[in-house]
Amino acid sequence: MTGLPRVALESADLARRNLLHLRRTPALILSGLVEPVLFALLIGYVFGGSLGGDAYREFMLPGLLAQTVTFSASFTTIGLAQDLQSGMVDRFRALPISRLALLLGRTSADLVMVVGGVAVTTITGLAIGWRPHTGVFSVLAAFLLVLLYAFALSWIGAFIALVTPNAQVAGSFGLLWMFPVSFVSSGFVASATLPGPLADIAAWSPVSALANALRELFGNAAPPNFPAQVGWAAEHPIGYALLCTLGLITVFATLSTWRYRNRTRG
């Protein structure tokens, strides 16, 4: 068997191996599931009271989903960095498998953790008052978009693992970029309220794109006291979110494959 079917089968085998390995790290699984709950309670109740109460918590949930899948990229970073440091990747290189299959196996397996995090975030949102106000197909489209975005972000995580020297540095860098990317956005506030150039950065942020697209698909309006978001990205949130997602996959899958070939050459 050759070509894409072979790559797909090899990726599935490696994804299965990564999932079995993940079961041996329950602390990592627990942190990934508890973190969305903490952020939901912290932002929804500590800050939400002064930002619009129940209306704000409905506005917040799509942003929290965007943050949850953004932070999930760290699973790919840490997992791939550990495989590189332990020599596991060198063992895979001795096998007649595609280089792309190894990276696809890692990014695909990490989607399982994303599904768990998204489920916990959604259940927490329902518990604190969030509700979707659209039809079943719009809600399903929203969750499919979340998973596609998570897949795109996992390639950023893979690239970070491949350009850092060891698992410790990869873990630090894998988390460092997530906080500014998540919070300099319209995930939790209207981007127009941010000062100076931060407002422009937030307006075009991929996190803002996903959060705004989810708000449209779920029918979650901004609180009455929030300024309206303007600009092409805000007016076409679903289209812009798809463009961002596909662009991230194209760029970082290419960069990750290139870096993997250079790093493992020899």
Side-chain angles (χ1 to χ4, degrees), residues 11-189:
S11 300
D13 286 338
L14 290 167
R16 194 177 303 113
R17 172 260 172 192
N18 292 330
L19 290 174
L20 290 172
H21 184 72
L22 185 63
R23 291 194 310 178
R24 304 189 189 107
T25 55
L28 183 63
I29 297 174
L30 184 62
S31 67
L33 298 179
V34 170
E35 187 177 88
V37 178
L38 294 178
F39 274 112
L41 297 177
L42 176 66
I43 298 173
Y45 286 101
V46 175
F47 301 111
S50 60
L51 293 174
D54 292 338
Y56 175 75
R57 282 186 280 276
E58 285 220 338
F59 174 85
M60 175 201 74
L61 194 279
L64 186 61
L65 283 170
Q67 185 198 60
T68 297
V69 295
T70 299
F71 275 51
S72 71
S74 63
F75 298 128
T76 304
T77 302
I78 295 169
L80 181 56
Q82 288 176 341
D83 282 347
L84 286 164
Q85 185 169 306
S86 67
M88 186 61 67
V89 170
D90 291 330
R91 298 177 193 174
F92 288 139
R93 286 179 59 214
L95 301 174
I97 61 175
S98 165
R99 292 184 176 94
L100 181 60
L102 184 136
L103 298 177
L104 270 174
R106 167 56 59 185
T107 54
S108 300
D110 292 335
L111 279 178
V112 175
M113 276 298 297
V114 172
V115 170
V118 168
V120 169
T121 303
T122 304
I123 292 169
T124 305
L126 291 170
I128 64 175
W130 168 80
R131 297 290 185 274
H133 302 289
T134 53
V136 173
F137 291 110
S138 291
V139 172
L140 288 176
F143 285 115
L144 287 175
L145 182 59
V146 167
L147 294 180
L148 184 63
Y149 178 84
F151 182 66
L153 268 288
S154 69
W155 284 103
I156 297 180
F159 182 67
I160 293 172
L162 289 163
V163 298
T164 48
N166 54 56
Q168 290 75 23
V169 176
S172 297
F173 275 88
L175 288 172
L176 189 62
W177 65 276
M178 295 176 184
F179 286 95
V181 166
S182 296
F183 288 100
V184 182
S185 72
S186 61
F188 301 110
V189 297

